Amino acid sequence: MSIAFVIVTYHAIPYLEGLFTTLVKFTDLSDSQIIVVENASNDGTLEELQRRTEGLANVEILPQSRNTGFAEGNNIGMARARELDVEYVVLLNQDLELEAGWLEPLLTVMRTRPEVAAAQPLILLHSDPRLINTSGNHLHFCGFAYCGDYRREVSTLPADRAVVSVGYASGAALALRMSALDRSGYFDESLFLYHEDCELQIRLRELGYECVLVPEARVQHKYNATFSPKKYAFLERNRWLVLLQHWPLWRLIAIAPALFGTELAVLFFSIKAGWFREKLGTYQEIAQQLPSILRKRKKMQALRVKEATDASILIGAMQFEGLDHPIVTHFANPLLTAYWAFARGVLRVK
């Protein structure tokens, strides 16, 4: 068996028909296993999964006694994939619908380019498939992460559909090389939700692997662009966990003024947007996890290879719908871009 599909479900009834119908219709499942980790939904998801997968011999449902989150849930599925000795695992969000020919281009890249550890298809918005959800995610040198080309028209992309390196591939639809995961480990379960795909691929890049977009492969995502205070808090806490665990000491020192300035800006935004209390709570959580953070940091920095590619993919500007305020576009972005160019020179980042 060469491939396992891992799907983590939670209150998934509105999505199961679209996902499984397109998975069966557009995927050769003859040499694969579908592993579904059901995260203790109370809306009948487990029963609907059992009904929808009845008759499929290569499906295994792993019911959980609690909500394990995205990170641990996928780890449970990947651990089962390792027991099956597959070469590749493909993580699929429950709210996807797949398009014809979505899988083979991903597998071709994985089979022909051993340096690639993570690959994503072009992810389109299900609400309007003419628009992009993400063409590969961007990672700012201050730790902010966001979808690349969000809401850009697909028709404006280069016609050659060439495979390109990305900051990190989206965990919504993500092909991973199991031999690379054997070296890097799986998702960091302390993150629970958000930034876990980013953190894993930083680890892969620290080991010298590449992460890419395969634009010939395409899926559609029922993406929810709303942000709650809880989501902001997860994103902020996990951004700092990534920075503290992975950025080498000299990088942290070099970008310290920018980190201080952006942190003040985030605090101001949290007050204005009504999640200041949640932002303050992230500091307490980080302080509580500091011993664990330092242990992970020591281990990860020791594994870093000379050919690590994590610094070269960092960017200086933040360009995402909702962040197009004049203060960001006309002041913050030019300043941060210039600062990162200076810091790259100091750090000798190619």
Side-chain angles (χ1 to χ4, degrees):
M1 187 178 299
S2 65
I3 183 170
F5 302 97
V6 174
I7 303 165
V8 176
T9 59
Y10 184 67
H11 293 176
I13 284 183
Y15 308 115
L16 294 180
E17 180 177 1
L19 174 59
F20 278 93
T21 298
T22 56
L23 178 61
V24 172
K25 182 177 180 180
F26 296 129
T27 313
D28 180 1
L29 299 173
S30 59
D31 186 32
S32 66
Q33 180 78 0
I34 302 170
I35 302 168
V36 184
V37 180
E38 209 309 285
N39 263 342
S41 304
N42 59 13
D43 66 341
T45 291
L46 177 59
E47 292 75 16
E48 180 63 15
L49 274 171
Q50 292 167 337
R51 187 188 70 81
R52 183 145 312 265
T53 60
E54 187 177 3
L56 291 176
N58 53 346
V59 176
E60 185 174 5
I61 301 174
L62 306 177
Q64 304 301 302
S65 60
R66 58 184 174 85
N67 180 8
T68 63
F70 183 91
E72 186 179 354
N74 274 293
N75 283 358
I76 292 167
M78 287 189 285
R80 176 59 183 144
R82 167 45 63 224
E83 292 174 355
L84 297 172
D85 198 29
V86 301
E87 295 180 75
Y88 313 107
V89 62
V90 179
L91 312 184
L92 297 174
N93 266 22
Q94 64 183 17
D95 55 353
L96 290 176
E97 291 193 12
L98 313 175
E99 294 193 357
W102 76 278
L103 179 61
E104 196 53 41
L106 291 172
L107 294 181
T108 297
V109 169
M110 301 298 277
R111 289 165 178 159
T112 58
R113 294 184 53 179
E115 79 280 8
V116 172
Q120 71 155 84
L122 183 65
I123 302 178
L124 311 176
L125 291 172
H126 181 267
S127 57
D128 187 349
R130 296 172 301 177
L131 303 179
I132 294 170
N133 177 186
T134 178
S135 61
N137 293 351
H138 294 307
L139 182 58
H140 192 270
F141 73 94
C142 290
F144 302 102
Y146 59 91
C147 300
D149 289 327
Y150 180 61
R151 297 193 66 82
R152 177 179 173 179
E153 292 188 8
V154 178
S155 61
T156 66
L157 291 178
D160 60 6
R161 297 193 177 189
V163 175
V164 294
S165 178
V166 295
Y168 68 99
S170 171
L174 180 61
L176 294 166
R177 185 181 302 278
M178 290 300 296
S179 61
L181 295 180
D182 290 341
R183 295 180 61 196
S184 68
Y186 300 157
F187 288 128
D188 183 344
E189 294 178 4
S190 68
L191 299 178
F192 189 76
L193 193 64
Y194 306 121
H195 261 63
E196 63 289 294
D197 49 356
C198 171
E199 191 276 337
L200 171 60
Q201 290 173 71
I202 290 172
R203 266 185 281 140
L204 290 168
R205 286 189 172 279
E206 288 171 340
L207 294 171
Y209 287 106
E210 182 63 277
C211 308
V212 300
L213 163 73
V214 184
E216 190 177 352
R218 301 190 175 188
V219 303
Q220 297 178 22
H221 189 197
K222 297 170 185 176
Y223 180 68
N224 183 353
T226 60
F227 285 74
S228 65
K230 188 173 183 180
K231 181 174 180 177
Y232 276 124
F234 269 124
L235 289 168
E236 272 299 285
R237 183 200 66 171
N238 292 351
R239 173 175 74 93
W240 274 101
L241 290 180
V242 167
L243 287 170
L244 294 173
Q245 290 174 185
H246 289 284
W247 269 216
L249 179 59
W250 283 112
R251 190 187 304 171
L252 287 172
I253 293 172
I255 69 172
L259 284 175
F260 180 73
T262 55
E263 191 65 12
L264 290 179
V266 171
L267 283 168
F268 175 77
F269 175 72
S270 71
I271 294 171
K272 185 177 179 181
W275 55 279
F276 180 65
R277 180 179 298 178
E278 287 81 2
K279 172 59 180 173
L280 293 181
T282 66
Y283 296 135
Q284 181 180 359
E285 290 189 59
I286 292 168
Q288 291 171 342
Q289 294 188 41
L290 193 57
S292 173
I293 291 170
L294 294 176
R295 287 194 299 271
K296 291 176 183 177
R297 176 182 177 82
K298 182 178 180 180
K299 177 181 178 181
M300 293 166 186
Q301 295 304 314
L303 292 174
R304 175 183 290 274
V305 301
K306 182 180 179 181
E307 300 78 17
T309 61
D310 61 305
S312 63
I313 51 87
L314 300 177
I315 62 173
M318 292 178 285
Q319 298 170 326
F320 187 74
E321 187 175 273
L323 292 176
D324 48 3
H325 190 279
I327 293 178
V328 175
T329 57
H330 299 309
F331 175 73
N333 276 343
L335 183 62
L336 288 169
T337 298
Y339 190 92
W340 179 234
F342 164 76
R344 284 176 68 107
V346 172
L347 298 168
R348 298 181 181 179
V349 175
K350 295 181 181 180

